[in-house]
Amino acid sequence: MIVQTALLIGVVLFSVLAIALRDVLRSAISLAVASLLLGIVFFKMNAPYAGVFEISVVAGLITVLFILTIALTRAGDEVRESRLVNWVFPLVFVAFVAVDALVMKSLLGKVPALAAGAEAGTFGEVLWKGRTFDLVGQIAVILAGVFAVLALFRKREKHD
Amino acid sequence: MTNAWYLYVFFAAALVCAGLLGLLGKRNLIKLLIAIEVIGKGVSLLLLSTGFAKGHILTAQALVITFIVVEVSLVATALALIINVYRHTKSLDVRNLAKLKG
């Protein structure tokens, strides 16, 4: 349990760094480290497939996409952030974490849970038989993403 | 088991809060997308930890994998949009998008 707590603290720390750091490239790398730690937490939770997806896709592919975008928009990273945020952000975050620590345990006791039978079979069976509709949705979402990127990067006509 | 669940949900809520604060406070478009990613991390942690605590880890894994696929599609589209916005405005400041002129 101590290892999980340390990993989760690392996830929150690197996520906060990803938002708070001024340099966008460092933010993207912090986000990748947070994803890596979250993937290890998933492995510890006996969820190897989710862990592999988290590490390979979120920590790998999404970071590459972010770094590519940062490289393409390098000259425009001098966005002036609000100074107020620099001290309001940690203050509100610490206040939220304190309230979270006080309230969450009693809140969780009140969450109603639907009765459900125990799970049987392997992950593949659950994915292919139980969540077939999700897989169809995933294919549709990937296609929608591909078409959206194609539409956004299409070559302009000469008369435009 | 409830103690472990409490721990995971506590950190998931902290992640979602950090992401929301980033969304509210930041002006750089890439930073805003990073904040959305952080919220996504919190949500996937919440999904998987609840599945783990209730003994339905396989269904939770299937949901998290669906969520990750949707997330990748979202990020690819949003980053393409950001590059297009940068080409038009030569800036990544979100306030430039509020000007409806031209």
Side-chain angles (χ1 to χ4, degrees):
Chain A
M1 211 61 232
I2 297 166
V3 181
Q4 267 98 324
T5 313
L7 285 169
L8 285 167
I9 290 172
V11 171
V12 174
L13 198 72
F14 278 102
S15 299
V16 170
L17 271 181
I19 294 169
L21 280 176
R22 189 166 290 177
D23 187 12
V24 197
L25 192 61
R26 284 182 189 161
S27 292
I29 292 167
S30 295
L31 193 73
V33 175
S35 293
L36 190 68
L37 295 177
L38 192 65
I40 299 170
V41 173
F42 287 177
F43 271 106
K44 291 266 176 195
M45 257 189 245
N46 293 329
Y49 295 99
V52 164
F53 260 74
E54 181 73 27
I55 290 174
S56 63
V57 178
V58 182
L61 179 65
I62 289 184
T63 309
V64 169
L65 288 176
F66 267 117
I67 291 174
L68 200 66
T69 311
I70 291 164
L72 284 173
T73 59
R74 197 59 194 162
D77 61 356
E78 299 96 15
V79 179
R80 285 183 63 191
E81 301 285 357
S82 159
R83 276 186 197 167
L84 193 70
V85 175
N86 287 341
W87 59 272
V88 168
F89 180 90
L91 215 65
V92 176
F93 184 67
V94 169
F96 178 83
V97 169
V99 173
D100 191 6
L102 289 173
V103 174
M104 190 55 84
K105 206 160 195 173
S106 60
L107 268 182
L108 277 183
K110 292 175 187 163
V111 174
L114 292 174
E119 269 182 339
T122 61
F123 173 68
E125 283 170 8
V126 171
L127 189 64
W128 291 114
K129 290 178 186 166
R131 316 293 317 175
T132 315
F133 188 74
D134 287 5
L135 292 177
V136 178
Q138 282 185 41
I139 296 166
V141 165
I142 291 171
L143 276 178
V146 168
F147 282 123
V149 172
L150 280 178
L152 284 166
F153 285 120
R154 71 175 182 270
K155 282 189 177 171
R156 288 186 175 79
E157 301 288 331
K158 276 184 180 170
H159 55 75
D160 279 357
Chain B
M1 188 53 81
T2 313
N3 271 337
W5 190 32
Y6 159 69
L7 189 77
Y8 291 128
V9 176
F10 169 76
F11 282 105
L15 281 174
V16 172
C17 174
L20 281 178
L21 286 174
L23 267 185
L24 286 172
K26 294 290 172 181
R27 290 169 181 165
N28 191 329
L29 281 169
I30 296 177
K31 276 284 171 66
L32 294 181
L33 199 56
I34 285 176
I36 293 174
E37 280 293 301
V38 171
I39 296 178
K41 271 187 220 316
V43 172
S44 57
L45 178 62
L46 180 69
L47 274 174
L48 208 59
S49 64
T50 308
F52 179 63
K54 301 285 180 192
H56 285 77
I57 192 76
L58 298 179
T59 317
Q61 274 193 89
L63 286 176
V64 167
I65 286 174
T66 310
F67 179 71
I68 288 173
V69 170
V70 173
E71 202 178 2
V72 171
S73 202
L74 166 92
V75 167
T77 312
L79 288 176
L81 268 175
I82 288 174
I83 292 172
N84 268 1
V85 165
Y86 177 73
R87 279 182 188 166
H88 277 282
T89 62
K90 297 290 171 210
S91 157
L92 287 175
D93 199 328
V94 73
R95 287 170 299 175
N96 288 340
L97 295 179
K99 293 173 187 163
L100 291 174
K101 201 167 57 177

